[in-house]
Amino acid sequence: MNVRSFQLSDYRPITALLEEVLTEECYEQTMEAFARQLSWDSDLVLVAVENSEIVGMIIGTIDNNKGYYYRIAVSPQHQRRGIGKSLIQGLRQRFEQRHVTKILITADEHNEPVLPLYESMGYASNDFFRSFQKLSIVTG
């Protein structure tokens, strides 16, 4: 499995993955934020590739010198195999390279099920950002 930056050719497989994994409401919100993040800084959108198939993705953003994990998605057939952790670690490295002052996890109602994953990686409840409306990629 390889974690790399998003490429334009990934767009269709990524949208299919997000449609499969997310609720309709979450998908619509995520696609708007995804488009904004791609236009601002596509290096903070990472994909996990296994056997030339995209099996996961994560969207991050930097807002006011803070790094945010916005949305993570892993194909149901590939869950519980460390892909989510690899995506989180890859994005964390990007944040650290850019010297962000703090790394936070957006904790909206759609991310609640994955918060234990972040906790298993050492993040605590004070790392969860619950007023995600203020993020530029969400509010425009």
Side-chain angles (χ1 to χ4, degrees):
M1 196 255 322
N2 177 39
V3 173
R4 63 165 171 76
S5 294
F6 172 87
Q7 300 169 359
L8 191 54
S9 60
D10 299 331
Y11 187 78
R12 285 184 189 223
I14 288 294
T15 55
L17 170 67
L18 293 174
E19 274 187 298
E20 177 184 17
V21 173
L22 306 178
T23 64
E24 186 176 335
E25 177 188 4
C26 182
Y27 174 80
E28 289 172 19
Q29 289 175 7
T30 301
M31 289 306 292
E32 288 178 28
F34 177 46
R36 274 194 207 96
Q37 188 58 42
L38 287 179
S39 71
W40 291 338
D41 188 348
S42 62
D43 283 342
L44 296 178
V45 177
L46 303 180
V47 296
V49 181
E50 191 171 86
N51 300 323
S52 66
E53 175 191 358
I54 292 179
V55 296
M57 66 92 66
I58 191 166
I59 302 168
T61 195
I62 295 175
D63 210 338
N64 296 320
N65 205 36
K66 292 183 180 134
Y68 294 88
Y69 298 107
Y70 174 67
R71 190 77 72 223
I72 187 169
V74 175
S75 169
Q77 306 89 298
H78 294 89
Q79 291 177 2
R80 306 224 179 271
R81 294 182 32 215
I83 294 168
K85 287 182 178 182
S86 294
L87 287 163
I88 292 166
Q89 289 167 339
L91 191 52
R92 181 183 184 92
Q93 289 173 346
R94 303 270 169 113
F95 289 150
E96 289 171 351
Q97 289 167 353
R98 294 177 186 211
H99 308 288
V100 299
T101 55
K102 183 149 180 71
I103 299 174
L104 298 163
I105 298 103
T106 55
D108 63 11
E109 69 273 18
H110 306 296
N111 277 348
E112 289 291 331
V114 297
L115 296 183
L117 170 63
Y118 290 101
E119 289 171 334
S120 76
M121 296 183 70
Y123 291 97
S125 60
N126 62 342
D127 297 317
F128 299 152
F129 179 70
R130 298 197 187 271
S131 355
F132 67 98
Q133 303 89 320
K134 295 177 185 173
L135 284 180
S136 301
I137 64 168
V138 177
T139 59

